[in-house]
Amino acid sequence: MAPPSDLTIELLLTQQFGLVTRSQARESGFSNGQIQRRLDSGIWLRSDRGVFRHHLFSRCWNTQVLAPILSTGGLASHQSAAHLWHLDGFRQVRPDITVPAHCGLRRRGIQVHESTTFDMCNSKSIDGIPTTGIYRTLLDLAAVVSMVKLRQAVDDARLRNLIEWDGLHRSFMEHARRGRNGTVLMRRFLEDHLEEANIPKSTWSRLVADLLVAEGLSEPVLEHEVNGPGFTYFLDLAYPDNMLGLELDSVTWHLNRKSFEQDPRRRNDLENLGWSMRNFTWSDWATNPIKLADTVRKAFEITRPKRFRKLLLK
């Protein structure tokens, strides 16, 4: 029988960003001597304990995350998992991996989390990397990010139908009983937002809502639905009792021919129904947020609650 060549594990190398473990190589027919000769010649390079990278594959973020996972049986977690799930606002940062408690794993340049609830991670392979399940990922995030970032992640997961409220609450309760890190912030989040029906289509909407509340205004409704004769519109933010709508205009979505034609018609339709509209840009929020809040406050002063408008029309 001919000795195995690297072509024997070509598919495996491709799936694992050029990585192969010693046990995988042995299962594919390589002897320890054949493995050592590839290491001595520089064809295979050591990436972690018992994990090697073929020299034709470049070292990248994915190999940094996957190598210790293949070595230990751990999972990509926390912000690394959020990035792999493609959650809004999470990029490639220092790799996070979670391993069972008391394994004593240490790796330079990698954040290792030991977990007593490793059996509850509900792992999933994403882009070829074993990763914590979406509910566990969100709970892990609650231990390491701010409330703003946590809400951004949950909003995006809901918008993409990755989670449901029942599942998030159930995951929280299961972990809370075990004293899991992250339950304090997640409890606060669920108390404020559990069963919230509407989902903001952008983080910006949530940030503007936070600003208005911080400036003493009541919390606006996100993605409020307005129906009229022959149309249905969703307002970025709204105060339905006052029939006051707030639209957030970005260059990406509004500086084009289609929006140039549709935006005025949309505003006319809404104002014909009695809505008072206020439009803001990113610059309004980023450079002068107090003025933005004052504009909304003044709009309250000149809009009557809807129930009073109905009485006046009788």
Side-chain angles (χ1 to χ4, degrees):
M1 179 181 296
S5 70
D6 290 358
L7 292 176
T8 308
I9 55 172
E10 181 180 16
L11 178 59
L12 183 64
L13 290 171
T14 300
Q15 293 172 336
Q16 295 184 166
F17 311 102
L19 298 177
V20 61
T21 68
R22 180 179 293 276
S23 61
Q24 289 172 336
R26 292 299 307 273
E27 289 172 3
S28 298
F30 289 83
S31 67
N32 285 331
Q34 290 166 331
I35 293 172
Q36 189 60 50
R37 282 193 288 275
R38 280 166 172 75
L39 292 171
D40 292 341
S41 64
I43 296 175
W44 290 4
L45 306 170
R46 296 184 187 276
S47 287
D48 208 298
R49 295 174 186 170
V51 181
F52 318 114
R53 174 173 56 86
H54 197 286
H55 77 286
L56 292 178
F57 291 80
S58 299
R59 187 172 182 268
C60 62
W61 184 85
N62 289 329
T63 60
Q64 286 183 276
V65 175
L66 183 57
I69 289 174
L70 291 175
S71 176
T72 64
L75 299 169
S77 63
H78 297 73
Q79 295 191 69
S80 291
H83 169 69
L84 289 166
W85 278 103
H86 306 291
L87 295 179
D88 183 35
F90 291 89
R91 299 176 177 83
Q92 294 179 357
V93 294
R94 181 177 66 166
D96 285 283
I97 68 169
T98 290
V99 296
H102 312 304
C103 72
L105 179 68
R106 296 291 183 271
R107 292 291 187 275
R108 180 178 297 179
I110 295 174
Q111 180 64 54
V112 179
H113 306 266
E114 294 190 0
S115 174
T116 58
T117 56
F118 188 81
D119 59 317
M120 300 168 65
C121 284
N122 297 316
S123 65
K124 180 175 180 179
S125 178
I126 303 178
D127 299 334
I129 299 177
T131 306
T132 52
I134 185 61
Y135 292 111
R136 175 59 178 263
T137 296
L138 293 171
L139 188 61
D140 284 342
L141 284 177
V144 297
V145 302
S146 66
M147 177 65 83
V148 170
K149 292 289 286 184
L150 177 61
R151 287 192 309 192
Q152 182 178 359
V154 175
D155 284 344
D156 189 45
R158 290 183 61 213
L159 194 62
R160 292 163 51 205
N161 295 317
L162 295 177
I163 65 170
E164 296 180 351
W165 281 126
D166 286 349
L168 187 60
H169 184 258
R170 183 168 55 252
S171 176
F172 165 76
M173 294 301 295
E174 290 171 350
H175 285 84
R177 286 194 291 269
R178 303 275 291 272
R180 179 73 176 79
N181 289 339
T183 55
V184 173
L185 189 64
M186 183 60 80
R187 178 180 287 107
R188 282 177 50 203
F189 173 83
L190 291 173
E191 287 173 351
D192 291 341
H193 300 285
L194 186 63
E195 302 302 341
E196 187 175 61
N198 296 339
I199 313 169
K201 289 187 170 57
S202 74
T203 303
W204 184 20
S205 297
R206 183 73 83 179
L207 293 173
V208 173
D210 287 346
L211 165 67
L212 297 175
V213 172
E215 289 299 313
L217 294 163
S218 57
E219 186 169 3
V221 177
L222 301 167
E223 298 297 326
H224 180 66
E225 181 177 344
V226 177
N227 295 294
F231 64 82
T232 296
Y233 297 136
F234 290 89
L235 307 184
D236 294 330
L237 302 166
Y239 292 98
D241 286 345
N242 288 65
M243 295 189 75
L244 173 61
L246 312 179
E247 292 285 73
L248 307 180
D249 299 338
S250 67
V251 172
T252 302
W253 298 108
H254 294 273
L255 196 59
N256 57 74
R257 181 70 183 182
K258 184 177 180 181
S259 292
F260 178 79
E261 298 287 347
Q262 291 183 348
D263 286 354
R265 289 197 289 267
R266 170 188 170 95
R267 188 180 186 96
N268 291 341
D269 287 339
L270 289 166
E271 293 194 348
N272 284 340
L273 287 179
W275 281 86
S276 180
M277 302 300 300
R278 297 294 183 273
N279 290 65
F280 302 101
T281 66
W282 176 266
S283 179
D284 292 326
W285 178 82
T287 63
N288 204 339
I290 302 304
K291 183 177 179 181
L292 185 156
D294 286 342
T295 299
V296 176
R297 187 177 289 106
K298 290 175 182 176
F300 264 104
E301 295 172 1
I302 61 175
T303 56
R304 295 176 181 271
K306 185 165 54 178
R307 59 182 179 274
F308 295 129
R309 291 188 177 197
K310 289 181 178 180
L311 290 173
L312 291 173
L313 292 174
K314 287 184 178 180

